[in-house]
Amino acid sequence: MAHGVVQVTNPSSSRWRRRTGEYETLAAALDAAGDGDVLSVGAGTYRENLLVDRAVTLRCADGPGTVRLAPASGVALTLRGAALVQDLVVECQDVTSAALLVEAGAPELSGVRISTRSAVGLEVRDGARPTVRRCTVDNPAGVGVSLLEGAGGLFEECEVVSAGQNGFAVRGGATPRLERCRVHHATGAGLSVTGEGSSLEAVSCEVFEVRGTGVQLSAQGSGQFTDCQVHRTTGDGITLDTDAVLAMSDCVIHDIPENAVDLRARSVLTLTRSTIRGFGRNGLSVWDPGTRADANQCEIHDSTGDYPAVWVSDGAVTILDSCRVHDVPDALFVLDRGSRADVVDSDFTQIRNTAVSVSDGASVQLDDCRIKEAATGAWFRDHGSGGTLSQVTVDDTATGVIVTKGADPALERCTVTNPAEAGVYVSAGGRGAFTGCRVVGSRGFGFHIIDGCRSHLTRCRTERCARGGYEFAEPGPVTEDCTSDRAATDDLPAPVPSAARTAGGSAAAGTPPARALSTGTQSYGLLGGVPAQRPAEVPPQDAPVRVATRESDVVLGDLDALVGLDSVKREVRTLIDLISVGRRREQAGLKAPSPRRHLVFTGSPGTGKTTVARLYGEILASLGVLERGHLVEVARVDLVGEHIGSTAIRTQEAFDRARGGVLFIDEAYALAPEDAGRDFGREAIDTLVKLMEDHREAVVVIVAGYTAEMERFLASNPGVASRFSRTITFGDYTAQELLQIVEAQATEHQYRLGDDAAEALLKYFTAIPKGPAFGNGRTARQTFEGMIERHAVRMAHVDDPTHDELQLLYPEDLPNLT
């Protein structure tokens, strides 16, 4: 293609330095140019590989975008030195190289548009420090902008409009600064920072519409973000892994289907005056010893999923200072020994389930906090779990504080007001020390301590509690100087002062003496004193769940495309054929069989039970058997309440959500533990059996779990086995099938298996232990994730890796067998 003429001029007034001339090629013009010269390039397409290694200016003579630099292969434009490039369009189709390469010096790019299908759109390396203003990169085949080998520079008002991999990739000790930049439509991470010494500073930037993680820091990478937005990703909003460090202030993370922020492996996050909202899993997810998240003056709200807003586990630490968490299913979950959350001057409001949950040996410290409008204010669940709540107010909850199964928290000067069931409920070996605490306006008991739990109450007080201030079961707690006003109604016995509950004790001064409890209608014993079951509230009429109805053959095709599961596919097809033919017989006026559609799925984890359940519901919807075909997945925690009566309400609510679709109960055997005792799981089973009979056409119920445990579950209630006509067993994947899953994962994430990798994977999956912890498909996915992590570590130490090297996985990338 013909192109214009290049004119070279030197604006200096000195006659010794003045040079002018017209040249047919850019290369010829550059040969003639010296430092300070201006190359005014006529409109056209220049198919040259250009190297600029002096302080010249390249600009378009006929206005921005009129000059295209588009060689057949290789790097279109390489800059070394202090050149200024303005308004050019750089195009390249070489998948092995960068379109524009800055190798050294501090050049300036302004208004440059890079439109390419290259390995990298713009690459900066070798310590270069460019200034890049108002430039755009469109590279659907590779990385948008890559900085490595100690490079840096300033990027102002730049935009990555598409990237086949990461939008901005910072590694090898690079340290760029981004101001008012936008990164979107990347496949991978929007911003990626990897490796010791690599750092990214971002001010007023936006990352969105990313098919992957919005921002990813790993392997000692660090970042500082101010006034930035991350939203509309398909993966996590922000991930920190392996000693990564990130400080964020005045930022917003929203509309994220997975975790808004996920930290692991000794990473550290400092979050200041920032907002997290509209997340599908955890708003803040913190894992592993040495990992820490500090949030100050932050707001986390409006979850779109069914997960805790803040999740702290595996020995991690989280600090919330002057934060607000609201409109979420659960606010703060802390679990595992060594995990800790410190919360100061913070609010938890409008929490659908539990505001603060502590389990598995974890601890919390809450000071001067407020919990309002939650099902449970704080729940210390099991042995070793504890911590301190100091000057915490809990208002308008079903239950203020629950302590169970050996947990032992300390509550000091806390107040629980207007609980629907109990202010403080202790059972199943729970303990707890309550000092100077008050319960006011309970519709149940103030302190309800059963199972002979040995809690310690000191200077506690109850007021206006409908069923009484204190209800204990012998031997009961140790009490000291506890008081109560009279019962809320004259026909109830007066509340019992703490001294009367202590063997040989006398009533505290100023409190009425305890009246002997009889076994008549006024008894407040263990059974007589439980609050009456509240009628289920009528839920608002939600908008119908919209499920795109596909033809049954299409959905069956998705089923057939799943790796392995041959016997499962046959079972499901047989059931579908039976239902389909039955409907045809009805249409022909013939008597049709009425097979029960409820199913039992048995097998190990990771064998595709949830996926098959979702497809099964969609098939039944396509056949007109179900109205919507959506899947509602629940577990024991979603069905079983803390008190008598609450379990039936929760089970009814879950069943109602599944109307017109499939109710999938994972690990259903947990509803019928072997040492059930007074466990409320049996109430859930009884309620479920009745609902399945009363609404047999409205919901399909699928229960799932390990084979032996599910046999016990089916025997737990006489009506359970009769409701489920068919058991489908999901066998473990073979080594060959696990290999197929890894190959599919590699293709999806743009990796390939190198020489001998497939054979090594087969040996790996053959040798891997197949014990109870074996995760089948999950193990395959974890193996693939381990391979890409090792690949990343390997590539981080390779100078200028090729496109193939960035994709190929080899046997040495396999994680070690454990």
Side-chain angles (χ1 to χ4, degrees):
M1 176 177 177
H3 53 76
V5 174
V6 186
Q7 184 181 47
V8 178
T9 62
N10 188 301
S12 171
S13 59
S14 168
R15 65 186 181 88
W16 300 108
R17 287 176 47 79
R18 185 167 182 80
R19 292 182 298 278
T20 63
E22 293 184 354
Y23 301 88
E24 290 296 319
T25 67
L26 285 166
L30 280 169
D31 285 341
D35 288 346
D37 284 352
V38 175
L39 279 71
S40 183
V41 186
T45 299
Y46 296 78
R47 302 199 179 279
E48 303 178 50
N49 299 97
L50 203 61
L51 170 62
V52 181
D53 57 1
R54 60 197 69 179
V56 298
T57 297
L58 272 73
R59 67 185 182 192
C60 303
D62 300 310
T66 58
V67 175
R68 296 171 61 237
L69 189 61
S73 62
V75 179
L77 176 60
T78 301
L79 299 178
R80 299 172 188 159
L84 169 61
V85 180
Q86 296 178 323
D87 302 325
L88 268 66
V89 177
V90 177
E91 298 179 356
C92 186
Q93 303 297 319
D94 193 332
V95 297
T96 65
S97 65
L100 196 158
L101 175 62
V102 181
E103 282 191 326
E108 182 176 342
L109 289 86
S110 176
V112 174
R113 300 207 318 262
I114 302 172
S115 180
T116 181
R117 297 190 66 86
S118 302
V120 182
L122 168 60
E123 183 170 303
V124 185
R125 59 191 311 160
D126 295 331
R129 291 284 190 275
T131 299
V132 186
R133 295 187 173 94
R134 297 180 300 282
C135 295
T136 63
V137 177
D138 182 357
N139 184 19
V143 176
V145 179
S146 176
L147 295 103
L148 64 160
E149 296 174 1
L154 173 64
F155 293 77
E156 289 184 347
E157 298 181 27
C158 295
E159 184 171 11
V160 175
V161 300
S162 76
Q165 298 176 39
N166 296 331
F168 264 83
V170 180
R171 58 192 176 94
T175 57
R177 175 183 170 91
L178 277 59
E179 296 183 4
R180 301 181 301 284
C181 294
R182 303 170 79 231
V183 179
H184 53 95
H185 294 90
T187 300
L191 303 177
S192 172
V193 184
T194 304
E196 183 178 5
S198 300
S199 180
L200 172 64
E201 183 178 0
V203 179
S204 300
C205 295
E206 184 178 14
V207 178
F208 63 102
E209 296 293 356
V210 174
R211 292 190 61 188
T213 301
V215 177
Q216 186 175 55
L217 285 79
S218 61
Q220 302 183 56
S222 63
Q224 182 172 341
F225 290 10
T226 304
D227 188 29
C228 294
Q229 280 196 64
V230 179
H231 58 109
R232 302 205 305 273
T233 64
T234 62
D236 294 338
I238 296 175
T239 64
L240 280 70
D241 199 359
T242 316
D243 302 294
V245 177
L246 175 63
M248 303 183 72
S249 58
D250 301 299
C251 294
V252 180
I253 306 160
H254 64 96
D255 297 312
I256 306 294
E258 298 293 329
N259 298 306
V261 183
D262 185 82
L263 291 77
R264 299 171 188 261
R266 303 172 305 281
S267 297
V268 177
L269 170 70
T270 303
L271 201 62
T272 307
R273 296 184 306 278
S274 296
T275 298
I276 296 172
R277 59 179 168 83
F279 45 90
R281 293 183 70 87
N282 306 125
L284 190 58
S285 177
V286 191
W287 301 71
D288 303 328
T291 305
R292 178 185 175 111
D294 288 11
N296 183 271
Q297 302 178 62
C298 295
E299 185 175 12
I300 303 174
H301 64 100
D302 287 312
S303 166
T304 61
D306 295 317
Y307 300 86
V310 180
W311 175 278
V312 186
S313 67
D314 292 341
V317 174
T318 293
I319 297 175
L320 304 178
D321 189 348
S322 303
C323 293
R324 293 183 61 220
V325 181
H326 61 92
D327 293 285
V328 295
D330 300 278
L332 171 63
F333 266 43
V334 188
L335 59 163
D336 301 323
R337 186 169 303 280
S339 299
R340 192 181 85 247
D342 294 346
V343 188
V344 180
D345 189 21
S346 295
D347 292 89
F348 301 103
T349 59
Q350 295 180 311
I351 312 300
R352 294 192 287 277
N353 300 313
T354 303
V356 177
S357 173
V358 188
S359 61
D360 300 319
S363 67
V364 297
Q365 172 81 39
L366 269 68
D367 292 308
D368 191 23
C369 294
R370 296 152 295 278
I371 298 171
K372 187 173 182 179
E373 299 176 21
T376 302
W379 190 346
F380 298 88
R381 294 178 180 265
D382 46 30
H383 183 74
S385 303
T388 303
L389 272 60
S390 178
Q391 299 189 79
V392 174
T393 61
V394 183
D395 190 22
D396 288 333
T397 61
T399 306
V401 177
I402 299 175
V403 182
T404 55
K405 298 181 181 177
D408 193 13
L411 277 72
E412 302 172 356
R413 304 185 305 284
C414 296
T415 301
V416 180
T417 58
N418 304 317
E421 297 176 0
V424 174
Y425 178 82
V426 184
S427 70
R431 297 182 67 86
F434 303 87
T435 305
C437 296
R438 297 172 63 231
V439 179
V440 180
S442 171
R443 281 175 272 174
F445 295 107
F447 289 83
H448 191 183
I449 301 176
I450 67 172
D451 300 333
C453 293
R454 300 295 286 171
S455 302
H456 198 133
L457 279 64
T458 305
R459 298 186 303 280
C460 293
R461 179 168 176 78
T462 65
E463 301 174 12
R464 303 191 306 280
C465 296
R467 288 191 169 276
Y470 304 89
E471 174 68 5
F472 303 153
E474 297 300 333
V478 176
T479 62
E480 181 180 354
D481 297 331
C482 295
T483 61
S484 174
D485 66 354
R486 293 188 61 83
T489 58
D490 292 339
D491 61 330
L492 296 179
V496 182
S498 60
R501 289 290 184 177
T502 306
S506 59
T511 62
R515 291 185 289 175
L517 297 179
S518 69
T519 57
T521 58
Q522 292 183 346
S523 170
Y524 271 68
L526 186 59
L527 297 179
V530 295
Q533 178 176 334
R534 293 180 296 149
E537 296 180 358
V538 178
Q541 294 299 317
D542 296 331
V545 177
R546 297 187 179 275
V547 177
T549 302
R550 298 186 291 168
E551 294 294 329
S552 59
D553 288 343
V554 176
V555 187
L556 285 168
D558 288 351
L559 178 67
D560 290 336
L562 297 176
V563 174
L565 305 178
D566 292 339
S567 62
V568 174
K569 295 171 185 176
R570 285 195 299 271
E571 289 275 6
V572 173
R573 278 191 172 274
T574 298
L575 190 56
I576 297 304
D577 290 344
L578 188 60
I579 293 171
S580 180
V581 172
R583 292 180 66 83
R584 291 183 182 179
R585 285 176 61 86
E586 285 180 343
Q587 293 168 359
L590 299 173
K591 186 175 181 179
S594 55
R596 296 192 181 276
R597 299 165 296 176
H598 309 304
L599 302 176
V600 179
F601 286 177
T602 65
S604 301
T607 48
K609 295 187 286 293
T610 306
T611 301
V612 173
R614 184 175 288 107
L615 293 173
Y616 180 59
E618 196 172 354
I619 292 168
L620 293 183
S622 70
L623 295 174
V625 177
L626 289 176
E627 182 182 356
R628 301 196 301 239
H630 64 292
L631 182 81
V632 174
E633 183 177 359
V634 297
R636 175 190 165 90
V637 68
D638 304 296
L639 304 178
V640 177
E642 300 91 350
H643 308 299
I644 294 174
S646 59
T647 293
I649 294 172
R650 288 192 180 187
T651 305
Q652 175 77 60
E653 289 173 346
F655 195 89
D656 288 341
R657 291 199 307 272
R659 283 186 183 275
V662 174
L663 179 64
F664 181 81
I665 307 175
D666 197 14
E667 296 182 350
Y669 52 82
L671 296 174
E674 291 180 295
D675 54 346
R678 296 181 57 207
D679 187 83
F680 294 149
R682 294 191 180 275
E683 184 183 357
I685 297 173
D686 295 342
T687 304
L688 189 65
V689 168
K690 186 175 188 305
L691 289 170
M692 290 169 66
E693 181 62 29
D694 293 345
H695 307 281
R696 64 182 70 185
E697 301 298 326
V699 175
V700 167
V701 178
I702 299 177
V703 292
Y706 291 104
T707 302
E709 285 82 350
M710 289 306 296
E711 291 175 357
R712 187 188 73 240
F713 167 76
L714 293 174
S716 65
N717 182 298
V720 171
S722 64
R723 297 296 186 274
F724 296 92
S725 62
R726 188 181 296 265
T727 296
I728 299 179
T729 300
F730 288 64
D732 288 341
Y733 285 113
T734 66
Q736 183 63 46
E737 290 167 344
L738 294 171
L739 171 61
Q740 292 177 38
I741 294 173
V742 172
E743 289 174 334
Q745 289 278 300
T747 300
E748 179 182 349
H749 292 86
Q750 296 183 319
Y751 286 88
R752 291 183 288 125
L753 297 183
D755 294 340
D756 302 325
E759 182 178 350
L761 275 164
L762 279 176
K763 293 179 180 178
Y764 181 88
F765 288 132
T766 301
I768 199 168
K770 304 297 194 301
F774 178 61
N776 284 286
R778 189 180 304 117
T779 296
R781 289 188 293 274
Q782 291 171 344
T783 300
F784 171 70
E785 290 169 359
M787 292 181 75
I788 64 175
E789 288 175 3
R790 286 175 169 247
H791 170 268
V793 171
R794 184 161 52 82
M795 287 296 100
H797 300 287
V798 175
D799 293 334
D800 196 17
T802 67
H803 194 61
D804 280 348
E805 287 176 327
L806 291 170
Q807 297 182 79
L808 288 171
L809 302 174
Y810 289 104
E812 57 264 34
D813 295 321
L814 274 167
N816 296 324
L817 281 172
T818 57

